[in-house]
Structure formats: C-alpha cells, structure tokens
Amino acid sequence: MSSVNSQQRVLSGMRPTGRLHLGHLHGVIKNWTQLQHEYECFFFVADWHALTTHYDDPLIIEDNIWDMVIDWLAVGVNPSTATMFVQSKVPEHAELHLLLSMMTPLGWLERVPSYKDMQENLKDKDLSTYGFLGYPLLQSADILIYRAGHVPVGADQVAHVELTREVARRFNHLYGREPDFEENALAAIKKMGKKAASLYKNLRKAYLETGDAEALARAQALLQEQQNISIGDRERLFGYLEGSGKMILAEPQSLLTKAAKMPGLDGRKMSKSYENIISLRDENDDIAQKIKTMPTDPSRVRLSDPGDPDKCPVWEFHQVYSDEKTCNWVQEGCRSAGIGCIDCKKPVADAIINEIKPIREKANQLEDNMLMVKSVISEGSEKAREVARETMSDVRQAMGLNYR
Ligand code: SF4
C-alpha cells in the first residue's frame, strides 16, 4: 500500500516513435531528472499510444522502446528514485480506459484540439479510427490510475490533462458513493492516529455545521500532511470532509515544462519529420558536420557582409549553450562582419559534442547490458502494477463490479 499523497506524485509518458534528440533532452528528460528528486515519479513508454498512429508498422515500436529507455537511463533518470515502465506491461491501463469510455461523452473527445490537428498533419495515414479518437482518454487512464497530482507536459498536451480533470470529476460525481463509504471513512480516520483523528473530526464538524471555510482548509492541510494513510484513504477522507462521498480519482494539474526552446538545425522546431535533429547517439563527427552545414543568416553571402543573429538559427543555439561573453562576441562579430560563420559555429559544435559524448558513451554501455535495461523495466512495471491494481480495485468497487 502506498502512503504517498497524490500531490507528491508525478507521472509522464513518451511515445516510442523514434530516436531521442536534443529537443527531448532539453524539453523533457532533463526536467524529469530534476523532478525525480522532488516527487515520487512514474515515467513510462506509451507504446499503446504509439500504436494509435503507427498501427500499420508496429514492428518499429519495439526497437524504439529499448532505445528510449536506454536514453532515459543514459541522461540520468534513476531507477532507484523513479519508477520506469512500459504501458502495455501494466494492462490495468486498458481496463481503466475501457471503464472510463463508458461515461465519457463523445463530444469531449471530438473537441480535443489535437484530434483534428493530428488528422490533418498526418494526412497520409487514416486516423479516423476508434483508437485514435480515444487517444486522450487512454492518456487520462494513464494519469488517473496513479492518482498523479502533477503531469509534466509540453503546451500541446495541456488540453489532455484538462480532459483528464473533467473525466475524474465526472467519475467521482457518478460513482463517488461507495455503499460502505461511511464505514471506510471512519476506519481511515483511525489510521491517522489519535491526535490527528480527533482534530480531523472537530474540523469536519465545524465545517459541516457552520460552513467554516477555514476549518475545511485546515482539515485539508491536515490530510496532506498524513504519512500513514494510503492515497485511496486520503481521497476518501477528502470526500468525507465535504460530506459528498469519496474522491476516487484525483484531479491532476499540468506541470508546464519551462524548457529552453530547442530549435532544430534549420530553425524550425527540432523534429524527426523535419530531418533537422541531433540525436543523443550522434558521433562527434556527425555533430560537427551537422553544425557546419547549418544554414545561417542568408544575407551573409561573403565574409565581409554583416549579418543579423536574429535571422540565424545558430544564434538560437548560442542562447541555449553559450555564456554571456560568447553571446556578446557573436552579436558584435556578426553585426560588424568581424567574425565568420565558421568561427561562430565552433563554440556551439563544441558545447553539443561535450553534452552528447557522455550520454552516447553511457548509452553504448547500456546497449551491451540489455539484461540490466530489461530488468529496470520489468521491475518498474511490477511496481507500477501494484499501484494500478489498488486504484482499479477502488474503481471496480465504485462501479459495482466486484462480484465474486
Ligand atoms: Fe549566424 Fe553567427 Fe553567421 Fe551571424 S556569424 S550569421 S550568428 S552563424
């Protein structure tokens, strides 16, 4: 049984659709390596989500799964702090997805902006499938099954977390009354220990009898602090406070990644489909070559033509990698034609090579140690399953599905 508070729990996933690159490193994984020290983290490979768009070539997914896990480990996601797993190894996600699908209005899914956007962007694929429509609801199941309070995502995923909150709210509203709710709540109060239990009861009474909002807030804070109760009990006691019933599923918040904007080699967003990436496994020579052939401000045809860093993707890389002194050197040298583009690119190439080298080397070692990589995932998936099973038992009971 887990005694962690949902506010302490983070969950995020990534689709295994290709090699990881600098965009993932700066946008996502570095952030994860920070979060793992502050929260109880669950990070997973969303292989079912990859199938919603790659159902016609499922074989590429397996290789990508292991490459992705290796890259996470190589960057420093730590299996002794964060739980890493593969979605399809926790089949409870599918069960929750199915049950949520019973009560989710079709319009909620059709209205998610990524639904039409993706269909238009991937015109060569038929995405008018049942599975693709359900993409955000499967994501809701991923999140809700861990009762995660925080979901680190990019701006494009915020709508999915919002949908998740709506689904949780609707679920709690429809099924929040367990038959033995009162009894379970009283048992949960006992588990807090004498002092906290009596404080909780008094605050609840004050709130229910006089509507004292401060008493409610204090009682909620008291629950947050409790170390000895499971998430299920904590949510139950949140519900009991307001007399309404049990909060079975917790409403999550997005944790917007304040990522350094990582442009691609051509200045557009770094993305495999634009062929403008530097992968976390690129060799030093490849990196040097890619930087060397990067486009620059087109008005600098000759060395003597002054340029404008604002029109040059190399400058965006300097903003990620270079210190103030180097940035000033670029600004001045470019605008006065005092430096050439080859000189200007050198510190960027060096910085990226230095950043990638240890990651690539670690990844190569891990590739020779697949047994270890696979055991990280099988252990992580088992750990995730324990949490998922606990939630599913509450969900089944709430929906009247615990017949024997
Ligand atoms: Fe771009 Fe640097 Fe060349 Fe200016 S000097 S155009 S910033 S590469």
Side-chain angles (χ1 to χ4, degrees):
M1 191 194 294
S2 160
S3 66
V4 183
N5 178 329
S6 67
Q7 288 312 303
Q8 291 299 112
R9 196 173 270 172
V10 156
L11 170 117
S12 199
M14 239 189 215
R15 283 175 302 148
T17 50
R19 272 278 154 97
L20 295 192
H21 52 64
L22 284 181
H24 299 110
L25 176 66
H26 288 266
V28 186
I29 315 173
K30 277 197 171 169
N31 187 231
W32 287 7
T33 61
Q34 298 286 320
L35 291 168
Q36 67 186 352
H37 300 299
E38 299 160 38
Y39 296 94
E40 185 195 20
C41 288
F42 289 82
F43 299 129
F44 75 100
V45 183
D47 55 343
W48 283 335
H49 276 105
L51 269 182
T52 63
T53 50
H54 291 64
Y55 56 84
D56 53 352
D57 56 345
L59 295 182
I60 64 156
I61 294 176
E62 171 160 20
D63 287 342
N64 285 329
I65 289 176
W66 301 117
D67 279 346
M68 179 173 262
V69 174
I70 287 172
D71 286 343
W72 292 355
L73 293 168
V75 174
V77 182
N78 183 348
S80 56
T81 345
T83 303
M84 283 175 260
F85 66 97
V86 171
Q87 185 182 37
S88 64
K89 292 198 185 271
V90 188
E92 285 78 6
H93 289 225
E95 185 184 357
L96 184 57
H97 178 216
L98 174 85
L99 293 179
L100 295 177
S101 78
M102 304 298 172
M103 45 134 270
T104 303
L106 207 46
W108 288 13
L109 295 173
E110 289 164 340
R111 253 185 284 118
V112 172
S114 57
Y115 181 57
K116 287 211 170 65
D117 289 356
M118 285 268 263
Q119 278 183 334
E120 265 158 40
N121 288 342
L122 298 173
K123 271 233 156 67
D124 50 329
K125 283 235 170 92
D126 180 4
L127 291 183
S128 55
T129 56
Y130 181 47
F132 187 68
L133 178 67
Y135 183 111
L137 190 63
L138 179 58
Q139 184 165 351
S140 298
D142 298 337
I143 298 168
L144 295 173
I145 207 160
Y146 299 99
R147 305 201 239 228
H150 302 282
V151 186
V153 285
D156 60 321
Q157 298 287 313
V158 170
H160 295 175
V161 180
E162 234 160 70
L163 171 79
T164 304
R165 278 201 295 280
E166 280 166 27
V167 168
R169 217 172 293 144
R170 183 168 166 86
F171 185 97
N172 291 331
H173 174 71
L174 286 170
Y175 310 114
R177 276 211 172 276
E178 319 168 84
D180 40 5
F181 175 67
E182 187 95 20
E183 208 174 282
N184 288 341
L186 293 172
I189 292 175
K190 280 217 182 97
K191 294 183 199 156
M192 290 197 290
K194 268 215 178 82
K195 214 171 124 205
S198 102
L199 183 55
Y200 174 90
K201 281 192 230 160
N202 291 338
L203 290 167
R204 174 173 182 270
K205 191 155 169 257
Y207 173 67
L208 289 178
E209 285 177 2
T210 65
D212 180 349
E214 206 187 308
L216 176 64
R218 281 180 59 203
Q220 286 166 338
L222 177 73
L223 289 177
Q224 296 285 16
E225 287 161 15
Q226 296 309 305
Q227 305 287 329
N228 303 328
I229 55 178
S230 69
I231 290 195
D233 275 343
R234 193 190 311 274
E235 298 300 341
R236 193 172 273 123
L237 291 179
F238 271 116
Y240 190 57
L241 269 182
E242 297 178 75
S244 54
K246 190 188 175 195
M247 301 272 300
I248 299 160
L249 300 175
E251 291 182 34
Q253 298 292 331
S254 322
L255 205 57
L256 257 183
T257 319
K258 32 180 187 345
K261 186 172 154 253
M262 192 67 232
L265 292 165
D266 56 0
R268 291 187 290 178
K269 184 179 170 201
M270 189 175 279
S271 160
K272 189 184 57 159
S273 49
Y274 295 152
E275 295 180 12
N276 64 356
I277 68 165
I278 293 179
S279 118
L280 301 187
R281 311 285 184 91
D282 278 358
E283 298 289 340
N284 294 356
D285 292 350
D286 301 330
I287 300 171
Q289 186 60 23
K290 283 180 179 177
I291 300 295
K292 207 166 136 196
T293 53
M294 258 181 93
T296 58
D297 175 359
S299 60
R300 282 206 85 178
V301 183
R302 269 173 246 98
L303 194 59
S304 55
D305 297 331
D308 179 356
D310 292 334
K311 297 195 179 112
C312 177
V314 178
W315 168 240
E316 295 190 61
F317 276 75
H318 275 293
Q319 288 174 290
V320 175
Y321 287 103
S322 299
D323 59 15
E324 201 186 322
K325 194 167 148 244
T326 308
C327 287
N328 290 339
W329 169 79
V330 172
Q331 282 288 343
E332 228 179 48
C334 179
R335 291 179 197 281
S336 65
I339 59 170
C341 293
I342 296 179
D343 305 327
C344 178
K345 287 173 168 181
K346 180 85 169 63
V348 168
D350 290 347
I352 297 177
I353 287 171
N354 283 334
E355 180 176 54
I356 298 280
K357 187 167 177 274
I359 298 175
R360 184 186 60 231
E361 287 173 354
K362 185 84 209 290
N364 288 341
Q365 284 169 14
L366 289 163
E367 282 204 322
D368 293 332
N369 199 354
M370 284 311 290
L371 230 52
M372 194 277 255
V373 174
K374 295 202 172 184
S375 84
V376 165
I377 290 301
S378 56
E379 282 167 30
S381 302
E382 243 346 281
K383 222 171 127 201
R385 265 197 106 168
E386 275 171 35
V387 178
R389 283 197 190 105
E390 192 183 321
T391 306
M392 283 318 294
S393 137
D394 286 352
V395 165
R396 284 189 212 110
Q397 184 178 10
M399 292 182 80
L401 290 168
N402 55 344
Y403 347 101
R404 280 167 219 276

